[in-house]
Each structure stands twice: as C-alpha cells, then as structure tokens.
Amino acid sequence: MSADLGARRWWAVGALVLASMVVGFDVTILSLALPAMADDLGANNVELQWFVTSYTLVFAAGMIPAGMLGDRFGRKKVLLAALVIFGISSLACAYATTSGTFIGARAVLGLGAALIMPTTLSLLPVMFSDEERPKAIGAVAGAAMLAYPLGPILGGYLLNHFWWGSVFLINVPVVILAFLAVSAWLPESKAKEAKPFDVGGLVFSSVGLAAMTYGVIQGGEKGWTDVTTLVPTLGGILAIVIFVFWEKRTADPLVDLSLFRSARFTSGTMLGTVINFTMFGVLFTMPQYYQAVLGTDAMGSGFRLLPMVGGLLVGVTVANKVAKALGPKTAVGIGFALLAAALFYGATTDIDSGTGLAAAWTAAYGLGLGIALPTAMDAALGALSEDSAGVGSGVNQSIRTLGGSFGAAILGSVLNSGYRGKLDLDGVPEQAQGAVKDSVFGGLAVARAIKSNGLAESVRSAYVHALDVVLVVSGGLGLLGVLLAVVWLPRHVGQSTAKTAESEHEAADAV
C-alpha cells in the first residue's frame, strides 16, 4: 500500500500525530484539575480515585478488542469513530455536575483512547516501507511525548483563568482537527479476510487486563498484601492464563500466539515496556519536585519539562540514521545507555540543586528516549502482517500500558517509602503527622499551618531524597534495557515485512 500513497502518507502521519496528542493531553491534565473538582463536585477521596481509575481500566481492557475492530471493519473507520467518542466524552467531562456523571464520562473517554492508540499504531506498518517506518513511528511517538508538557502548560493557564471544566475542552479543537485530517489524508486498510469473532478471547483478555491494572493501582495505594490488591491481581493473572489456553485451542484465535515467537515483536515490546516503566520515574516525580521544592506552579513545571521534549525531538531525528549506521541492536543499546546515565546523573539532585541540573539531565534522558523508543517500536510493529496489524498493535500497547501501571505502583511505593523514611516529625502534632506522611504537598501545607520552617525544610529534603532513590531505580531499569537490547534484540529488524515474519514463525514451528 505504501507505494501507492506517495507523499500523501506523510500528511497522513500528521493526522496520526494529532490523534496521539489528543490522548497525551488527557494523561497529564486531570491531575491539575482534581483539587478544584473536589470542591465543585463535592468529591471524596474514593470518588477522586475513580476519576482516574475509571479511565485507566477501560483503556487497559479495550485496546486488544479495538485492534480487532480495526482489522475487521477498517482502521480509518474505527479511528474516526474513536475521535467522535473522545470529543463527545470530553465535552461530557467538562460540563459534568456530579461525581457519578464525571466518572461515567471518564470511562467513555477511556474507551475512545483505547480505540485511538492501537488503531494509530497499526496503520504505520501498513502505510510505510521498512525504510520509512522508523521515521513515522518517531513522529507519532514524539507527538505523544510533546503532549506531556503541553498539557500542564495549557491546563495551568486555563485553570488560572477559567473553571476546571475548561481543561477538558482542550481536547475538542484537537479532536476536530484530527478528524478532518484523518478524513482527508488517511487511507483505509483492513484485514483481507474477516475472521469470526473470538468471544472467549475478547472476554478473557479484557477482564484479565482490567483486573490486573486495577490490582496494580490498588497495590500502589494500599500495599501489595491488601485483599483489594491480591484478589483482582490474582484474578487478572488467572484470566490471562485462561486466555492463553483458550487461544491455543480455538480455531480462529483473537491473538495469534505464534507472534510471540518473533524475537523482533517480543523484544521490541518488552523494551518499550521498560521505557514506559522509566518514564514514570520522570513524569510523576519531576513535576512534584518543580512545584514543591523549586516553588513553581503547574504551568511552570510544564515549561521545565520542555528540555526533555527537546532532547526527545533530537533523538527521534537521528534515531534512524544511528540505526542504519550501527544497526538497530546497537542503536537501542546506545539509547538506553544514554537514558540510564541521565537518570543516574539526575539522582545527584540535592535540596540546593536548581533548574539547570534538572534541565541538563532531563534533556539527556529525552535524547536517549528518542533514540531507543522508535527503533524498539519499529522492531515490534514491523513484525506484524497487514491482516494482524490491529490486534498485534493492541497487544503491544496493552503490555506497555500494563508495564507503565506497574511502574507507577512500584516506583510510587519506592517514592513514598523514601520520603517517609527521611521525615523529621519532631514537634509536629500527632494529629497532623498523617498529612505530612501522605505527600510532600500535605507536608508543606502542615508546615504552613503550624508556621514551621524546619518542617518545611525536612519535607523538601525528604522528597529530594525519595526522588533520587526513584531515579536510581529507574536508571537500573535503563541498564536492564541495555542488556535486553544487546542479548535479545535481533541484529537486523528493518526487514520485518509480513513475509519475513511468517517465515520466522515457520522456522520457530520447525524447531
């Protein structure tokens, strides 16, 4: 198909970039609005948690079915429908008047996101040759990352001037532009033959991914031995195990499990998951550092993430050249080595460090990210045939998203442990100590209330210590990425056409 599209396929990438940014904005923007929403909607802590969780669960459960819908009915049709769903549910979020209404609108928003992401990724191996695909992946990945700092910048401005619902209205003009661009420039594609619906596969995969995601979220909130963590986590694992057995025995499986015999797909997906894991260490901890320690607002913290985006854009630009010159295995290894070194450098932050140090190491992290991510994703997506691009992309995205959820829970626990272990609570009223331990912002609020500069200093120092520990752990994961790339990633991944993938599966079957 790529040969027939000519220059139009790069205009189509622009449409996919807009679609990716729609989802990226929403990832970072809700946290800014939560305090105002709690007051206006009268939401309690449980409802605030479900503001986030309702979106995440539907997003996790919906990606594999979404990929199947694209393969079966047409990826362009599904993407257009997804944008409409995302736009309407964004409006519903903005004008919600009760917590229940907002939670329902967020769940539908998660469905729209679940339809957008795998469909967007599945179009790239269909539209582009092996030569051009890494550039297209880099463009879409760069756009998604650009939305992370832009979300807080735009959202912070809107919250300073308008009501909380305005942050969700950001999605609407982007959705309209993306819809028009997709309609005009994106070619239609789908599987040559529509397979029967694998109802069992749909149910087991969706339930398993949703349950595991919920369990991981609860693990970060309530601990890994809590019953609300163990039951959904173990239930989710059981559902995934049943899913695997079901797929092996059904005549027309939802997911062709032989795909995991492809070293390109499996190693590329795992490397992307490691990247998602490390990204939490940066994107969750650094905005809090900027606001609590350096004293910026949400918009200011967004601006301070721009060096990372700058590094990312440079990395994405040179990634294909590095991969061509040195090979994909070496390119991904270099990318992971850079981001690991940057994270270890960031772990030298102390209470007196300023924006300069943060800008330097986040820019270097972005550079490593920009080199590693497109090349690793190209390995995974390039192993997909045109008929399985949607489901395969959904599987890839589901695994990476679940890895990000584990990263959030595990690194969140590391952050909380490091923070609480360094607090000095001498002189703090016993009834206020829980708020201090809860978060750095809670600690600073108590310090202001009791007018204690010493407590404020202790809270900031404890958070910086916890930040450094998280970055060390994330840096260790970066080194794991280097090892995985060197040992597991095939030396040549650019020849990943459908025929090559099929022959690789046949070779594996012969073994």
Side-chain angles (χ1 to χ4, degrees), residues 426-463:
D426 289 343
V428 179
E430 187 173 346
Q431 61 271 26
Q433 290 185 8
V436 176
K437 293 178 181 179
D438 190 49
S439 72
V440 61
F441 297 108
L444 292 175
V446 171
R448 286 192 297 270
I450 66 175
K451 299 179 181 178
S452 172
N453 292 330
L455 176 60
E457 186 73 10
S458 172
V459 166
R460 292 190 180 97
S461 295
Y463 184 81

Side-chain angles (χ1 to χ4, degrees), residues 130 133 258-272 328 375-385 396 488-505:
D130 297 329
R133 189 176 54 244
S258 66
L259 185 63
F260 289 98
R261 299 176 190 170
S262 166
R264 287 168 297 184
F265 179 81
T266 306
S267 62
T269 299
M270 289 300 103
L271 287 165
T375 312
M377 289 299 296
D378 181 54
L381 298 181
L384 303 175
S385 68
N396 172 274
W488 198 2
L489 192 68
R491 189 172 299 278
H492 301 290
V493 300
Q495 300 173 354
S496 47
T497 61
K499 288 183 179 179
T500 306
E502 289 169 4
S503 64
E504 189 176 79
H505 295 159

Side-chain angles (χ1 to χ4, degrees), residues 16-18 20-21 24 138-148 150 312-313:
L16 298 180
V17 162
L18 287 170
S20 297
M21 290 188 73
V140 174
M145 286 296 300
L146 184 62
Y148 283 108
L150 286 182
L312 174 76
L313 295 177

Side-chain angles (χ1 to χ4, degrees), residues 2-378:
S2 60
D4 300 327
L5 292 174
R8 179 186 170 195
R9 63 191 183 279
W10 290 108
W11 289 102
V13 167
L16 298 180
V17 162
L18 287 170
S20 297
M21 290 188 73
V22 164
V23 178
F25 278 141
D26 190 79
V27 169
T28 57
I29 215 162
L30 176 63
S31 60
L32 299 179
L34 284 177
M37 294 172 66
D39 290 337
D40 192 43
L41 299 178
N44 57 37
N45 286 335
V46 173
E47 289 170 330
L48 288 175
Q49 181 181 356
W50 276 103
F51 286 178
V52 178
T53 304
S54 59
Y55 175 94
T56 305
L57 294 184
V58 177
F59 183 61
M63 281 185 286
I64 293 178
M68 179 272 297
L69 291 174
D71 288 342
R72 185 181 181 89
F73 297 111
R75 296 165 190 125
K76 179 176 180 175
K77 291 185 183 71
V78 170
L79 186 53
L80 289 172
L83 289 168
V84 171
I85 292 170
F86 203 91
I88 292 174
S89 54
S90 294
L91 286 170
C93 286
Y95 293 103
T97 56
T98 66
S99 295
T101 303
F102 183 81
I103 290 169
R106 284 288 293 174
V108 178
L109 199 67
L111 174 62
L115 290 166
I116 288 171
M117 291 310 296
T119 307
T120 298
L121 291 176
S122 68
L123 284 159
L124 298 178
V126 174
M127 290 166 51
F128 289 91
S129 66
D130 297 329
E131 180 79 11
E132 294 177 319
R133 189 176 54 244
K135 298 178 185 176
I137 292 173
V140 174
M145 286 296 300
L146 184 62
Y148 283 108
L150 286 182
I153 292 170
L154 295 174
Y157 175 82
L158 291 173
L159 286 172
N160 287 340
H161 294 84
F162 304 99
W163 97 112
W164 62 263
S166 63
V167 301
F168 297 99
L169 295 182
I170 291 178
N171 294 334
V172 177
V174 183
V175 163
I176 293 172
L177 287 174
F179 187 92
L180 295 174
V182 168
S183 300
W185 297 324
L186 207 66
E188 183 58 281
S189 68
K190 61 181 179 179
K192 295 182 179 66
E193 295 182 7
K195 296 194 302 182
F197 279 108
D198 177 11
V199 178
L202 286 171
V203 171
F204 291 131
S205 64
S206 298
V207 170
L209 289 168
M212 286 181 66
T213 301
Y214 182 73
V216 169
I217 292 171
Q218 290 296 97
E221 292 285 332
K222 297 184 178 180
W224 295 101
T225 58
D226 190 89
V227 66
T228 60
T229 299
L230 290 175
V231 170
T233 302
L234 294 177
I237 292 172
L238 177 61
I240 294 298
V241 171
I242 295 173
F243 167 74
V244 171
F245 279 102
W246 178 276
E247 296 299 276
K248 285 183 176 180
R249 285 159 177 76
T250 189
D252 294 291
L254 174 65
V255 177
D256 181 4
L257 296 180
S258 66
L259 185 63
F260 289 98
R261 299 176 190 170
S262 166
R264 287 168 297 184
F265 179 81
T266 306
S267 62
T269 299
M270 289 300 103
L271 287 165
T273 303
V274 173
I275 287 174
N276 276 23
F277 209 115
T278 69
M279 280 171 57
F280 175 83
V282 179
L283 295 174
F284 180 74
T285 58
M286 290 308 292
Q288 293 186 69
Y289 168 75
Y290 292 136
Q291 294 179 52
V293 179
L294 299 187
T296 68
D297 58 12
M299 186 162 57
S301 68
F303 277 115
R304 284 164 177 79
L305 287 174
L306 290 178
M308 182 182 72
V309 175
L312 174 76
L313 295 177
V314 173
V316 165
T317 302
V318 304
N320 197 35
K321 297 176 182 178
V322 175
K324 283 183 178 180
L326 303 176
K329 179 192 288 281
T330 302
V332 174
I334 289 172
F336 270 101
L338 279 172
L339 68 85
L343 290 164
F344 286 130
Y345 181 42
T348 65
T349 301
D350 60 37
I351 192 67
D352 297 317
S353 299
T355 301
L357 174 65
W361 77 258
T362 55
Y365 174 82
L367 178 63
L369 189 68
I371 294 173
L373 183 57
T375 312
M377 289 299 296
D378 181 54

Side-chain angles (χ1 to χ4, degrees), residues 397-434:
Q397 189 71 22
S398 296
I399 294 172
R400 290 174 55 219
T401 299
L402 190 59
S405 297
F406 270 104
I410 294 171
L411 294 180
S413 297
V414 171
L415 184 74
N416 289 336
S417 177
Y419 169 70
R420 292 167 183 168
K422 282 292 182 177
L423 284 173
D424 181 2
L425 298 176
D426 289 343
V428 179
E430 187 173 346
Q431 61 271 26
Q433 290 185 8

